[in-house]
Amino acid sequence: MARSGKDDEQLAEYGESEAAPNPVWFKPIMLGLMILGLLWVIVFYLSGGNNVALPIPGIGAWNLVIGFAIAFVGFLMTTRWR
């Protein structure tokens, strides 16, 4: 059975209720942020967790907040992943 060209054109178009797929960079950035946040927290705990703690010395437990915030942004991105 022959097909008309109309079906092919409809596959490429997105309706108002349908969302377009994510760009190619979305998934690596999302995963990268989650991993970076996890590594930030791990480095903080392994360095001792006092005022000279890495990754940013001198801010103490705020390193935990920064690490969790970075990971949280990655997790928020998962809600927009298609």
Side-chain angles (χ1 to χ4, degrees):
M1 183 177 229
R3 292 176 43 187
S4 66
K6 293 180 184 177
D7 292 337
D8 295 335
E9 292 175 10
Q10 291 177 351
L11 292 176
E13 296 177 4
Y14 299 102
E16 292 178 16
S17 63
E18 297 176 22
N22 294 109
V24 177
W25 54 265
F26 192 84
K27 187 176 176 183
I29 296 294
M30 176 184 70
L31 293 173
L33 286 172
M34 287 188 282
I35 292 170
L36 179 65
L38 177 65
L39 289 175
W40 195 291
V41 171
I42 289 173
V43 167
F44 173 72
Y45 275 120
L46 291 178
S47 67
N50 53 19
N51 284 340
V52 291
L54 296 174
I56 301 177
I59 65 171
W62 282 101
N63 279 309
L64 283 176
V65 174
I66 293 170
F68 282 120
I70 293 170
F72 185 68
V73 170
F75 282 113
L76 282 178
M77 289 178 73
T78 61
T79 63
R80 305 296 263 169
W81 183 28
R82 300 185 204 313

